[in-house]
Amino acid sequence: MSMIPEHYDFYAGFNLLPEEQDLAVLFSGEGKPFPGHKIGPSVHDYYLIHTVLAGEGSFQSSTVTQQCRKGDTFVIFPGSLFSYQADVQNPWYYAWVALQGTGVSGLLSDIGITKERPLLHTENISELHRLYERTRLCFKQSAYPRLESLEASGWTRLLLHHFGQDNLALLPARPKELPEIIDRQIDQAIRWISLQFHQQISIDHMAATLGYHRAHLSKAFKQKTGLSPKQYLLKMRMDKAKSLLSGTLTIDQVASSVGFNDALYFSRQFRKFSGMSPSEYRSLLWQE
């Protein structure tokens, strides 16, 4: 058992190298304070998340005052005045994680946590406890603090995901301007092609994966982009080929880089698309 004054139990791990820009874990721990133990009124310059694993206590911020019990989570925001206190009769046992980074506020907002609504409830606290513990145990004070920091941020993202999954009712309502399902699927298809154009993409496979018949997906895709998926894929490949031809790769290497195993077939497709061969296009670029 590890103990510090005013706590029966206290376990903590501290990040020696919190360099992640969007989300970095500063420290994580868990403990059971003495009855009536109080923190604040104070302010922090980081985000601090507490989840009550057992017992009771109270949390107060500029926007809320609430008695917290098993399964309740409260979040302290940077610069916000807060206080919290263990119950006198049944002091809480809680876990916590401190965060900083440019992306933390947005991630919290995405799962329904804001300064105005800094509380939520979760039934499956055993999984939460496991994630808090995994985060804390990352900090072994080893010779590789950078790796410890990366692992901790990963476990904390899973923790935030768990909060969101258990509190879907708190998530921001879908804005009216968000696309309908088919539009979102077309966006996924576009992203798929944009990231995988160098692979041997099967439009049939892509359509099946997205849950649509090829004909239906192709029709919707063309309505949105003006091109069929096959035409869009070819355009993506040719545009990338033009960019690569400005460098020092051979024609064979350019062809392979944009998804063509046969350089001659690539050259024929490039001529159809641009009106000149890859070599002619490269010569034109070098003349400019």
Side-chain angles (χ1 to χ4, degrees):
M1 176 186 299
S2 175
M3 188 179 79
I4 65 170
E6 300 184 332
H7 282 74
Y8 293 115
D9 298 320
F10 185 90
Y11 308 91
F14 297 87
N15 193 347
L16 298 180
L17 201 65
E19 292 186 337
E20 287 78 14
Q21 296 299 310
D22 60 336
L23 184 153
V25 179
L26 300 178
F27 56 86
S28 183
E30 61 182 75
K32 181 176 182 178
F34 289 166
H37 173 254
K38 183 177 182 180
I39 299 291
S42 303
V43 295
H44 287 328
D45 59 0
Y46 49 81
Y47 300 85
L48 185 59
I49 303 172
H50 285 78
T51 296
V52 182
L53 304 175
E56 301 177 46
S58 61
F59 170 71
Q60 182 174 358
S61 71
S62 59
T63 58
V64 298
T65 299
Q66 182 166 315
Q67 191 74 11
C68 296
R69 297 175 175 83
K70 179 179 177 180
D72 289 335
T73 293
F74 59 90
V75 181
I76 295 165
F77 282 74
S80 295
L81 189 67
F82 71 89
S83 63
Y84 54 95
Q85 184 171 11
D87 187 75
V88 174
Q89 301 298 325
N90 184 24
W92 50 20
Y93 188 99
Y94 48 35
W96 62 85
V97 61
L99 309 174
Q100 69 178 13
T102 57
V104 178
S105 178
L107 290 171
L108 292 175
S109 178
D110 286 345
I111 61 174
I113 299 175
T114 63
K115 284 185 180 180
E116 294 70 34
R117 190 168 56 188
L119 295 139
L120 52 80
H121 182 80
T122 303
E123 292 294 335
N124 184 11
I125 64 167
S126 61
E127 178 62 12
L128 284 181
H129 191 186
R130 184 184 75 88
L131 293 171
Y132 274 111
E133 186 174 49
R134 293 302 298 262
T135 302
R136 171 171 59 85
L137 293 177
C138 290
F139 304 123
K140 308 175 185 67
Q141 310 302 307
S142 71
Y144 306 98
R146 177 62 174 154
L147 297 181
E148 295 178 5
S149 183
L150 286 171
E151 183 184 2
S153 63
W155 287 115
T156 300
R157 288 177 184 276
L158 288 175
L159 178 70
L160 297 179
H161 173 266
H162 194 79
F163 286 143
Q165 284 290 103
D166 277 9
N167 293 274
L168 294 178
L170 296 180
L171 301 189
R174 185 172 74 89
K176 293 181 179 179
E177 65 271 14
L178 279 183
E180 297 301 323
I181 293 177
I182 183 61
D183 288 332
R184 294 203 301 273
Q185 300 293 55
I186 297 305
D187 289 339
Q188 288 185 35
I190 290 172
R191 185 160 181 79
W192 185 325
I193 292 172
S194 298
L195 295 174
Q196 298 293 315
F197 64 87
H198 57 285
Q199 302 285 353
Q200 298 305 306
I201 294 179
S202 164
I203 304 301
D204 286 332
H205 175 67
M206 182 175 69
T209 302
L210 296 175
Y212 288 92
H213 188 276
R214 173 173 177 154
H216 181 61
L217 180 69
S218 295
K219 180 180 179 181
F221 195 100
K222 190 165 187 176
Q223 286 176 342
K224 182 163 186 175
T225 67
L227 300 170
S228 70
K230 187 175 181 179
Q231 290 169 332
Y232 191 91
L233 172 59
L234 179 62
K235 182 178 185 303
M236 180 68 64
R237 286 172 165 170
M238 294 298 105
D239 287 344
K240 182 62 176 178
K242 287 182 176 180
S243 175
L244 292 176
L245 286 167
S246 65
T248 58
L249 294 180
T250 66
I251 303 300
D252 283 0
Q253 290 169 338
V254 171
S256 178
S257 297
V258 297
F260 289 89
N261 295 327
D262 185 336
L264 292 178
Y265 180 66
F266 161 70
S267 295
R268 289 197 297 270
Q269 293 299 310
F270 190 91
R271 181 181 289 277
K272 288 181 182 179
F273 184 84
S274 65
M276 62 184 76
S277 70
S279 298
E280 291 170 341
Y281 183 82
R282 168 168 279 173
S283 297
L284 184 64
L285 289 177
W286 288 355
Q287 291 174 9
E288 293 179 354

